Amino acid sequence: MAKVVVAGEAGTSVKESQAWLRIKEAEIVGVADSLSSLREILQGAEVDIVDIGSITDSADPWVTLAAQAGKHILCADGSALGREGISLCNQHDLVLQFANTLRFAPEYEQAHEQIKNGAIGKAGVIRLRRGAPASAGNVGKCIFQALGIHEFDWLRWTFGEVERVMAREVKHTNESGQIVHYGLVMLRMAGGAIAHVELSWAEGTEHASFELTGDQGMIAHDSRESTPIRWSRGKQFLSTIFPGMDLMQRQREHLIRCVQKQEMPRLHSRDLLAALDIASAARESVKKGQPVKLMHGGDGG
């Protein structure tokens, strides 16, 4: 039985708590809505995993506190993770995951498997798009890190390392006085594929899509369509329907198996650092108006 503390700012950990309650192999031993309450629980209770919910600023103080206590960590927002916290977990040989990674999203997981099995042949042009409503909470945030980190991680996992990054960014105020924010990132992958990642804080609702093209076929997905994923070879189109799958529960069950040494983590610290590197390179490219070359690190597997 894995003993779990659900932590985060007041009122932000309800979904995390509900996800753990659905897992038979887990027991919630505490809920912490401040760093001081988390410290108190860690000192007084047996804990295996700290699940850190939404954090307004950096999650590093929470991650550092849990890591120093030798606890494995799931962080709700990968974009809130900093290099110091990631490195500390790595030093202590702790499992650190960020929640809602696309590695556990059924459509993206299935597309990854199809590509690894050669469904589209040699990858050519890859297009991914993610949009969300503009909000006051987005003001001042880096769109490449806050909105794009999941896509960047999935691209490396599926297509290998990123060699070069070119990015553009547009911000303006619409007629209603609301700031809308767009980002476009072009990535050259080591295998030769070109990935276009469109990011937008200007949508009515959250939206994600991809179009993955190779010399032998294409895989497409749009979250607004009733058919989650389509793939084609020539003129033949096939559809895949997924049964109800709880991403939050699946990832937490995987984390328990990792902590119990039954599985290897699907996501490693080097993957987190690489995704942050891509977001950082996108910011640098916008600032310089030029492509930014990345050094290879880790592996895409």
Side-chain angles (χ1 to χ4, degrees):
M1 181 73 69
K3 300 185 181 301
V4 180
V5 171
V6 180
E9 294 169 350
T12 65
S13 302
V14 176
K15 289 192 297 184
E16 286 81 6
S17 296
Q18 291 174 342
W20 285 111
L21 290 172
R22 294 192 293 270
I23 300 174
K24 295 179 180 179
E25 298 82 9
E27 176 189 2
I28 297 177
V29 296
V31 177
D33 60 6
S34 66
L35 285 169
S36 59
S37 60
L38 175 58
R39 183 178 293 106
E40 184 177 342
I41 293 172
L42 292 176
Q43 290 174 346
E46 182 183 345
V47 178
D48 298 307
I49 297 169
V50 176
D51 187 345
I52 302 171
S54 299
I55 304 295
T56 303
D57 298 312
S58 171
D60 263 5
W62 300 78
V63 172
T64 298
L65 182 58
Q68 288 175 339
K71 312 306 177 187
H72 303 283
I73 299 165
L74 179 65
C75 188
D77 185 2
S79 68
L81 287 169
R83 296 177 189 279
E84 292 183 8
I86 296 172
S87 298
L88 185 62
C89 290
N90 198 36
Q91 291 169 16
H92 289 273
D93 195 26
L94 300 170
V95 180
L96 170 63
Q97 305 274 287
F98 69 77
N100 303 321
T101 169
L102 296 178
R103 297 180 186 225
F104 289 90
E107 297 85 356
Y108 290 82
E109 185 179 21
Q110 176 68 17
H112 170 86
E113 292 175 359
Q114 293 281 2
I115 289 166
K116 292 298 185 183
N117 290 333
I120 67 171
K122 183 175 174 58
V125 177
I126 310 301
R127 300 184 186 278
L128 295 93
R129 191 173 192 277
R130 182 163 300 274
S135 70
N138 297 335
V139 177
K141 285 188 176 181
C142 170
I143 192 170
F144 303 116
Q145 186 164 328
L147 201 57
I149 192 170
H150 296 86
E151 269 68 20
F152 300 152
D153 173 63
W154 185 81
L155 280 168
R156 280 190 67 255
W157 184 48
T158 304
F159 298 100
E161 292 297 341
V162 175
E163 288 188 332
R164 192 175 67 174
V165 179
M166 181 72 184
R168 294 285 184 267
E169 184 177 25
V170 176
K171 296 180 186 178
H172 69 86
T173 305
N174 62 19
E175 295 178 355
S176 63
Q178 193 171 42
I179 296 176
V180 292
H181 195 169
Y182 301 92
L184 173 63
V185 188
M186 290 156 283
L187 309 173
R188 179 179 292 278
M189 315 301 292
I194 302 295
H196 297 256
V197 182
E198 298 178 44
L199 305 169
S200 169
W201 272 326
E203 307 289 330
T205 58
E206 291 188 5
H207 169 235
S209 65
F210 60 68
E211 186 177 283
L212 317 172
T213 306
D215 61 3
Q216 294 183 30
M218 179 181 73
I219 301 175
H221 158 69
D222 192 318
S223 62
R224 291 173 176 165
E225 295 182 0
S226 58
T227 302
I229 190 169
R230 298 182 303 135
W231 67 281
S232 66
R233 302 191 71 153
K235 296 182 179 180
Q236 182 183 19
F237 280 84
L238 300 174
S239 299
T240 301
I241 302 295
F242 296 98
M245 293 186 181
D246 189 325
L247 187 153
M248 294 182 70
Q249 182 174 339
R250 288 184 67 219
Q251 186 168 13
R252 283 161 175 79
E253 289 173 344
H254 169 72
L255 177 57
I256 290 174
R257 292 191 292 271
C258 292
V259 169
Q260 295 175 344
K261 307 295 185 183
Q262 298 173 5
E263 289 183 10
M264 293 296 293
R266 187 175 292 188
L267 185 72
H268 300 273
S269 58
R270 63 178 179 269
D271 300 314
L272 294 167
L273 291 170
L276 290 174
D277 284 342
I278 296 170
S280 177
R283 289 195 300 272
E284 185 180 350
S285 176
V286 168
K287 184 177 179 180
K288 293 182 175 180
Q290 296 178 352
V292 174
K293 187 175 181 180
L294 285 180
M295 298 293 290
H296 286 183
D299 58 56

